[in-house]
Amino acid sequence: MKFNTSLLHTVKPDKNSRGETIPPIYQVSAFAYDSAEQLEKVFNNKAAGFSYTRVGNPTVDAFEKRIAALEGGIGAVACASGMAAISSTLLNILQAGDEVIVSTGLFGGTIELFEDLSAFGITAHFLESVTYETVSAAVNENTKAVFTELIGNPKLDVADIGGISKACKEAGIPLIVDSTTATPYLVNPLKLGADIVIHSTSKYINGGGNSISGVIVDGGSFKWNSGKFPNFGDFAKYGIFAFMFKLRNRIWRNTGSCISPFNAYMNIVGLETLGLRMERCYDNALKLAEFFEQTDGVTVNYPALPSSPYYELAKSELSGRGGAIVTIRAGSREKAFALMNNLKYASIATNIGDVRTLVIHPASTIYTHSTEQQRISAGVYGDSIRISVGIEDAEDLIEDFAQAIAAAKI
Ligand SMILES: *Cc1c(COP(=O)(O)O)cnc(C)c1O
């Protein structure tokens, strides 16, 4: 099966199906049983079944199975948001005294989360560039994971997952990849050596900008019983399933990070058109990026342009695609604001992965709590605009940006 067929046909209907073409919304909190004995079994993982939607739900389960299949993982856990997916993953692995190697080009919320974790004795070591060499040099005996985005949002630096995973394997630590901006259409990080993949499914997987949500996929490739993770305790005996089992039974469940059945349903609907949407978004992004490259007064950053330092990596790792985010620099904050205010089609909004084109000035919004140094390390300048390219007609988008650039006197 090729990609688009697999989106529709990989996961077979549930055995309780009545022939519904997509999984229905089980909008309930609890599931009743005929006997106390039965509920006891479900609670103790001795019988399959659902007890309470914070812990599991058939619609959520259907979504998780689709994502696990799509990424080639042994299982997936859906979460209330992308940030819930990231925080649950980190808290499932780490304890006080642990250190994580992290790229500076991360999403602003993730950078702030690492700062929050310092209050719990967890230290993040930020690297400008996360590669085999830099990771190997930075690892020490307290390092318990490497965390990177596959295509940094909004730095648009592309991570060499093969190289980084080699360094992780040598150090005996897991590689966690936030692949939100790359999407499973471009790349399956688990196949390149990542151990855990995270998506903010609020973005491309949902595709319609209608459901905050996230997902964690476990590749089943990491051995948690090496002695390096004493906090896994009894869970270590589950071998490759230890991460998923611990996650589901402890931190994810107990922080209440579950997704709502309705949002899981919206994501299932969105997922079915992921391939069609991404194809169009990438085409539009490349056309827009090429247009900006020809335009005086703006500079453009897009990994699929030969001018990008990540061009070769995008070629080998992402089959030459660059994702659907383009960033430009307009010359000054004032010009950037004027450009944005003059756009007819692009909405000024803090989101990516919608079918409609969205623009934002990251320095004054997503990175407003960051220091100047953090912003620059994340590729965010005072005059930067991030464009999340939608599925409109490329001609209309180019015409719109051309008139806004002229109106902003750039
Ligand atoms: C949006 C985003 C997140 C956070 O996801 P939410 O669903 O907003 O919580 C994390 N990582 C990346 C790369 C994102 O773009």
Side-chain angles (χ1 to χ4, degrees):
M1 261 189 278
K2 292 214 165 61
F3 189 84
N4 290 300
T5 313
S6 76
L7 289 177
L8 299 166
H9 298 290
T10 298
V11 179
K12 300 292 175 220
D14 186 85
K15 62 180 186 317
N16 301 317
S17 158
R18 296 171 190 213
E20 57 268 10
T21 51
I22 48 171
I25 310 173
Y26 284 82
Q27 189 68 17
V28 292
S29 302
F31 300 80
Y33 287 84
D34 289 341
S35 71
E37 287 81 3
Q38 263 179 298
L39 187 56
E40 181 189 27
K41 280 191 192 137
V42 170
F43 249 80
N44 291 289
N45 298 316
K46 300 249 156 55
F50 298 95
S51 58
Y52 190 58
T53 286
R54 170 160 55 74
V55 178
N57 174 286
T59 314
V60 174
D61 184 60
F63 173 54
E64 290 170 341
K65 286 203 165 78
R66 280 160 174 74
I67 294 284
L70 192 55
E71 283 290 19
I74 58 164
V77 173
C79 300
S81 65
M83 289 317 301
I86 295 170
S87 52
S88 298
T89 299
L90 295 172
L91 294 174
N92 197 41
I93 297 174
L94 304 170
Q95 62 179 6
D98 288 347
E99 301 180 11
V100 196
I101 294 172
V102 181
S103 65
T104 57
L106 297 179
F107 176 71
T110 311
I111 293 179
E112 283 190 35
L113 172 66
F114 278 108
E115 288 169 7
D116 297 335
L117 290 178
S118 72
F120 299 92
I122 294 163
T123 308
H125 283 288
F126 284 94
L127 299 181
E128 282 288 332
S129 158
V130 175
T131 62
Y132 173 76
E133 289 77 18
T134 61
V135 170
S136 302
V139 163
N140 66 41
E141 77 271 14
N142 295 324
T143 310
K144 295 295 168 70
V146 172
F147 184 100
T148 186
E149 285 173 22
L150 206 147
I151 305 177
N153 169 18
K155 194 177 186 181
L156 306 183
D157 49 338
V158 180
D160 170 16
I161 301 301
I164 302 167
S165 86
K166 187 163 170 259
C168 288
K169 285 189 174 72
E170 286 171 12
I173 55 174
L175 172 58
I176 309 165
V177 175
D178 178 341
S179 196
T180 301
T181 50
T183 81
Y185 182 74
L186 268 195
V187 61
N188 291 126
L190 298 177
K191 292 185 187 140
L192 301 178
D195 298 293
I196 292 158
V197 171
I198 292 169
H199 290 282
S200 165
T201 50
S202 320
K203 315 291 172 55
Y204 297 98
I205 286 177
N206 172 278
N210 59 49
S211 297
I212 294 293
S213 53
V215 74
I216 306 162
V217 192
D218 183 358
S221 45
F222 192 77
K223 296 193 175 56
W224 300 96
N225 52 5
S226 64
K228 224 177 164 55
F229 296 88
N231 53 336
F232 269 66
D234 272 357
F235 288 104
K237 70 170 183 271
Y238 296 103
I240 62 162
F241 294 99
F243 174 86
M244 275 279 125
F245 214 69
K246 180 170 186 278
L247 182 70
R248 274 199 185 282
N249 287 285
R250 301 309 308 247
I251 206 79
W252 169 81
R253 162 185 305 200
N254 295 335
T255 52
S257 300
C258 64
I259 188 175
S260 85
F262 183 81
N263 286 2
Y265 170 82
M266 294 307 280
N267 289 345
I268 291 170
V269 174
L271 189 57
E272 297 189 335
T273 58
L274 179 69
L276 291 178
R277 287 183 284 106
M278 294 327 294
E279 193 72 28
R280 175 62 166 249
C281 287
Y282 299 146
D283 264 11
N284 280 355
L286 182 61
K287 284 180 183 149
L288 256 188
E290 285 167 347
F291 158 75
F292 289 130
E293 201 154 53
Q294 316 267 308
T295 305
D296 289 338
V298 297
T299 52
V300 58
N301 178 20
Y302 185 61
L305 286 179
S307 58
S308 164
Y310 300 100
Y311 177 69
E312 289 303 327
L313 194 51
K315 239 167 69 183
S316 59
E317 194 171 76
L318 309 171
S319 28
R321 305 287 200 155
I325 300 176
V326 178
T327 65
I328 56 173
R329 296 185 61 179
S332 70
R333 172 191 153 104
E334 290 66 33
K335 285 180 179 168
F337 274 38
L339 194 169
M340 290 167 65
N341 293 342
N342 276 293
L343 288 166
K344 282 186 305 199
Y345 303 129
S347 309
I348 302 172
T350 179
N351 193 14
I352 58 169
D354 199 330
V355 282
R356 68 212 85 240
T357 297
L358 310 174
V359 292
I360 194 164
H361 179 253
S364 63
T365 54
I366 305 166
Y367 290 84
T368 188
H369 301 301
S370 306
T371 64
E372 179 72 10
Q373 185 50 48
Q374 280 175 324
R375 277 202 282 271
I376 290 170
S377 298
V380 173
Y381 304 93
D383 61 345
S384 297
I385 300 173
R386 182 187 73 187
I387 306 160
S388 170
V389 182
I391 63 167
E392 297 94 339
D393 291 293
E395 296 76 5
D396 288 335
L397 290 177
I398 290 171
E399 191 189 295
D400 193 17
F401 275 95
Q403 67 77 26
I405 288 168
K409 303 196 168 46
I410 291 170

